[in-house]
Amino acid sequence: MGFHYRKVLDKVYDDVRVVDVLDSEDSAHLALMERPELGVTLTKLHCWTLIEYTKCVFMDADTMVLQNIDDLFEREELSAAPDPGWPDCFNSGVFVFQPSIKTYNQLLQLATEKGSFDGGDQGLLNTFFNTWATKDIHKHLPFIYNLSSISIYSYLPAFKAFGANAKVVHFLGKVKPWNYTYDSTTKTVKGDAHDQTLIHPEFLNLWWEIYTSRILTLLTEHGVVKDTSTGLKAEEVTEAVSHMCIAAAAPPPSPPSISSEERRERWEQGQVDYMGADSYDNIKKKLDAYLQ
């Protein structure tokens, strides 16, 4: 972690700690999900060593809090929301836990002896806390505490009915908000038309609004990026902030039209054009027309 970034984190958080990276190096299981980078997620096991606290809530870096969630501290270990891919497993992006060196050592032992069925932390934690699905419903967090962007599109009517109550949104998948391009002039987010992303535009824009209005200011104050008040070109910020692209970009070219049969085949193969013809707005219009 760079010195300047550490200063920014210290400005925002009360306690910032550097931990060793744990990596499952389980390429076989990670390949099943086509996510080789998830091996290092075992690093989150370090959270059980925070024994000066009686109860904690873990949150992945690709989550965004939308409403107050203090009530999570009324829950017990291990409380989590169901995973959209396999609801009998919990998603480990948000969970309530109780720090314990004993639990930490047991998790490390399990990782060493049996490994993780998905190569990452979620498989390991679901194996360790294997009664979550059946023993105590009070440990099942409502989905609004870990709303995955994938589910917004797979069950759009439910999102329309309950989405306003969302407390935490989770940007699951390879493409994250910081992989997009932000047009600071129009305050709009643009992405590659070929990106098969599942991020809802409302949450994507909110993430960038928070970043540009709050975080970028701190990065400037602590020397991570240059002073933007003097007309700094957005491309210079891009060079300073890795992967976070702020630029006035031209809209991507429109993809060639395809037949309804070809479109259906792409849907069946998971190749959905969420940034174009299959965008949230277009899907919503068709659903509304159908329901009427």
Side-chain angles (χ1 to χ4, degrees), residues 249-267:
S254 300
S257 59
I258 60 174
S259 66
S260 58
E261 290 78 10
E262 291 176 314
R263 189 178 179 188
R264 183 183 64 186
E265 289 179 359
R266 292 187 182 185
W267 268 79

Side-chain angles (χ1 to χ4, degrees), residues 15-237:
D15 187 4
V16 178
R17 306 187 188 187
V18 178
V19 297
D20 294 329
V21 174
L22 298 176
D23 193 342
S24 69
E25 298 182 350
D26 190 346
S27 58
H29 286 134
L30 291 169
L32 293 176
M33 299 191 297
E34 299 181 350
R35 299 293 301 282
E37 75 277 12
L38 291 182
V40 297
T41 59
L42 287 181
T43 302
K44 73 174 61 175
L45 299 184
H46 284 294
C47 69
W48 268 275
T49 66
L50 302 173
I51 55 175
E52 64 270 42
Y53 302 105
T54 57
K55 189 180 296 182
C56 300
V57 176
F58 180 91
M59 304 188 71
D60 275 351
D62 59 351
T63 58
M64 180 172 66
V65 178
L66 305 174
Q67 298 185 46
N68 187 288
I69 53 173
D70 288 351
D71 56 302
L72 285 178
F73 290 100
E74 299 173 9
R75 303 274 182 159
E76 300 300 325
E77 182 181 77
L78 186 292
S79 291
D83 186 77
W86 195 266
D88 276 346
C89 289
F90 57 82
N91 183 276
S92 60
V94 178
F95 60 84
V96 181
F97 69 100
Q98 293 179 260
S100 163
I101 296 299
K102 179 180 179 181
T103 302
Y104 173 70
N105 289 330
Q106 289 175 336
L107 284 166
L108 290 183
Q109 182 177 358
L110 179 63
T112 302
E113 296 178 354
K114 296 185 178 181
S116 168
F117 65 73
D118 65 359
D121 67 281
Q122 185 161 301
L124 181 71
L125 292 176
N126 271 277
T127 299
F128 188 83
F129 296 100
N130 56 16
T131 62
W132 174 87
T134 57
K135 187 175 182 180
D136 188 355
I137 192 63
H138 292 97
K139 294 184 179 181
H140 288 218
L141 295 182
F143 198 54
I144 58 173
Y145 286 89
N146 191 353
L147 176 63
S148 71
S149 46
I150 294 175
S151 299
I152 293 174
Y153 289 100
S154 62
Y155 198 9
L156 191 58
F159 175 71
K160 184 177 180 180
F162 308 114
N165 299 322
K167 291 180 177 290
V168 180
V169 62
H170 190 179
F171 299 110
L172 287 175
K174 294 181 180 180
V175 181
K176 306 298 184 185
W178 49 87
N179 296 132
Y180 285 78
T181 297
Y182 184 73
D183 188 328
S184 56
T185 303
T186 61
K187 296 185 178 181
T188 57
V189 182
K190 301 179 184 297
D192 189 331
H194 300 291
D195 282 345
Q196 300 302 324
T197 181
L198 298 169
I199 300 181
H200 189 280
E202 175 187 346
F203 298 136
L204 186 58
N205 279 283
L206 178 59
W207 188 95
W208 273 98
E209 287 175 10
I210 294 173
Y211 171 70
T212 54
S213 64
R214 302 182 186 182
I215 308 306
L216 189 56
T217 302
L218 288 173
L219 294 175
T220 302
E221 290 176 356
H222 292 276
V224 178
V225 299
K226 298 178 182 178
D227 184 5
T228 59
S229 63
T230 58
L232 172 68
K233 290 183 179 180
E235 297 86 86
E236 296 177 8
V237 179

